[in-house]
């Protein structure tokens, strides 16, 4: 009887070994993938203090060339590609609106960094590299608050009531959601690029919060804690995707 049992266990272990070996070979075999990605933007201009009729055109030797324009909430973005601005090292924009028209030169220093983002103040007629700090603090803070409200409601509905559990929840989410939104803020303010980044980062947030819930929260069974993290992060992903489309990033 023992011999038969040991033989069965040996066969089962051999199956596991074969399965692991097959998976390892699949992972190591090189694969060829073909993609056809769109050209990434060379520069994105965020305009502030702009009138409703504000327009930006690219000054070229052949005249004025229109640029790609999009608007999210109170912000307007103008997107430039390498094929439009060329390789001369700098280019000139013509900015107009509300009866005002002026030219703004964009130097090479704004094109050599990634992501290429500048902030153009229409009223002051100045440009600055990157996104304004005040803007970043406001938008990161808003997204973190919205996420805390949604996940806090889920946390409550799952029956967590102890003060220790809530302290862990707040500390854990302020850390993970703060880092996630700061990372999103460092990219181009265009939803199509940010959505992929959000999905990838939300997976790692789920892993980190699951570990935190299992180790630091003692209230309720482990399965309920994991279920809370899963539901909360799925809702966060949906909320984050929605906020990317309706709020500047």
């Amino acid at each position: 009887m023992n011999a038969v049992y040991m033989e069965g266990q040996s066969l089962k272990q051999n199956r596991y070994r074969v399965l692991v070996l097959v998976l390892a070979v699949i992972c190591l075999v090189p694969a060829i993938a073909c993609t056809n990605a769109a050209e990434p933007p060379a520069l994105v201009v965020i305009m502030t203090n702009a009138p409703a009729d504000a327009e930006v055109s690219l000054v070229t030797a052949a005249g004025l060339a229109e640029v790609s324009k999009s608007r999210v909430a109170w912000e307007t973005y103008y997107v430039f590609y390498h094929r439009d601005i060329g390789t001369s090292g700098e280019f000139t924009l013509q900015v107009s609106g509300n009866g005002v028209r002026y030219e703004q030169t964009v130097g090479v220093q704004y094109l050599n960094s990634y992501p290429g983002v500048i902030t153009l103040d229409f009223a002051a007629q100045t440009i600055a590299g990157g996104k304004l700090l005040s803007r970043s603090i406001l938008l990161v803070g808003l997204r973190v608050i919205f996420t805390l409200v949604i996940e806090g409601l889920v946390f409550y509905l799952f029956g967590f009531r102890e003060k220790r559990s809530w302290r862990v929840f707040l500390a854990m989410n302020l850390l993970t959601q703060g880092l996630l939104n700061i990372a999103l803020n460092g990219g181009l303010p265009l939803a199509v690029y940010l959505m992929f980044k959000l999905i990838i980062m939300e997976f790692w947030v789920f892993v980190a919060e699951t570990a935190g819930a299992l180790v630091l929260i003692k209230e309720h069974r482990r399965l309920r804690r994991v279920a809370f993290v899963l539901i909360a992060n799925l809702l966060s992903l949906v909320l984050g995707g929605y906020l990317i489309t309706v709020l500047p990033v």
Side-chain angles (χ1 to χ4, degrees), residues 117-185:
V117 178
I118 65 172
T119 300
L120 189 154
D121 190 318
F122 180 91
Q125 300 186 13
T126 59
I127 59 174
K131 303 171 184 178
L132 298 180
L133 179 60
S134 57
R135 172 192 183 277
S136 297
I137 292 173
L138 171 64
L139 293 175
V140 169
L142 282 175
R143 291 194 297 273
V144 170
I145 289 172
F146 283 139
T147 303
L148 283 176
V149 170
I150 293 295
E151 294 202 11
L153 178 60
V154 177
F155 197 62
Y156 182 84
L157 292 176
F158 266 78
F160 293 93
R161 298 292 186 272
E162 294 181 2
K163 290 182 178 180
R164 172 188 166 81
S165 299
W166 279 93
R167 285 196 295 267
V168 172
F169 164 80
L170 288 173
M172 186 167 60
N173 278 274
L174 283 173
L175 177 62
T176 57
Q177 295 301 323
L179 291 175
L180 183 149
N181 283 283
I182 289 172
L184 289 178
N185 184 72

Side-chain angles (χ1 to χ4, degrees), residues 1-233:
M1 187 71 178
N2 287 337
V4 173
Y5 174 77
M6 292 298 292
E7 184 178 356
Q9 289 294 102
S10 178
L11 288 173
K12 186 180 294 186
Q13 289 177 358
N14 287 335
R15 290 196 194 102
Y16 288 145
R17 288 169 185 162
V18 171
L19 178 59
V20 171
L21 180 61
V22 170
L23 291 175
V25 170
I26 292 174
C27 292
L28 292 174
V29 170
I32 298 175
C34 297
T35 61
N36 185 20
E39 179 188 0
L43 185 71
V44 176
V45 177
I46 303 173
M47 185 180 288
T48 62
N49 299 320
D53 62 344
E55 293 293 340
V56 173
S57 300
L58 180 65
V59 179
T60 69
L64 297 179
E66 293 186 357
V67 299
S68 176
K69 175 183 177 181
S70 62
R71 185 171 181 84
V72 178
W74 60 86
E75 283 190 349
T76 303
Y77 309 129
Y78 298 88
V79 182
F80 298 85
Y81 297 92
H82 288 289
R83 65 175 182 270
D84 300 320
I85 62 180
T87 58
S88 61
E90 67 177 32
F91 60 96
T92 302
L93 305 177
Q94 185 181 95
V95 186
S96 62
N98 199 24
V100 177
R101 179 176 297 169
Y102 64 91
E103 291 190 348
Q104 181 71 61
T105 299
V106 180
V108 68
Q109 68 270 28
Y110 300 113
L111 302 175
N112 291 336
S113 61
Y114 184 85
V117 178
I118 65 172
T119 300
L120 189 154
D121 190 318
F122 180 91
Q125 300 186 13
T126 59
I127 59 174
K131 303 171 184 178
L132 298 180
L133 179 60
S134 57
R135 172 192 183 277
S136 297
I137 292 173
L138 171 64
L139 293 175
V140 169
L142 282 175
R143 291 194 297 273
V144 170
I145 289 172
F146 283 139
T147 303
L148 283 176
V149 170
I150 293 295
E151 294 202 11
L153 178 60
V154 177
F155 197 62
Y156 182 84
L157 292 176
F158 266 78
F160 293 93
R161 298 292 186 272
E162 294 181 2
K163 290 182 178 180
R164 172 188 166 81
S165 299
W166 279 93
R167 285 196 295 267
V168 172
F169 164 80
L170 288 173
M172 186 167 60
N173 278 274
L174 283 173
L175 177 62
T176 57
Q177 295 301 323
L179 291 175
L180 183 149
N181 283 283
I182 289 172
L184 289 178
N185 184 72
L188 294 171
L190 303 174
V192 65
Y193 294 95
L194 292 171
M195 195 64 70
F196 295 109
K197 192 173 183 179
L198 173 65
I199 293 171
I200 293 171
M201 294 191 64
E202 195 66 56
F203 168 77
W204 292 110
V205 168
F206 168 73
V207 172
E209 291 188 358
T210 298
L214 290 174
V215 174
L216 301 175
I217 296 177
K218 305 302 180 183
E219 191 177 3
H220 298 305
R221 298 174 61 184
R222 295 166 65 89
L223 183 60
R224 181 183 292 195
R225 284 176 266 163
V226 174
F228 152 71
V229 176
L230 177 61
I231 298 300
N233 279 277

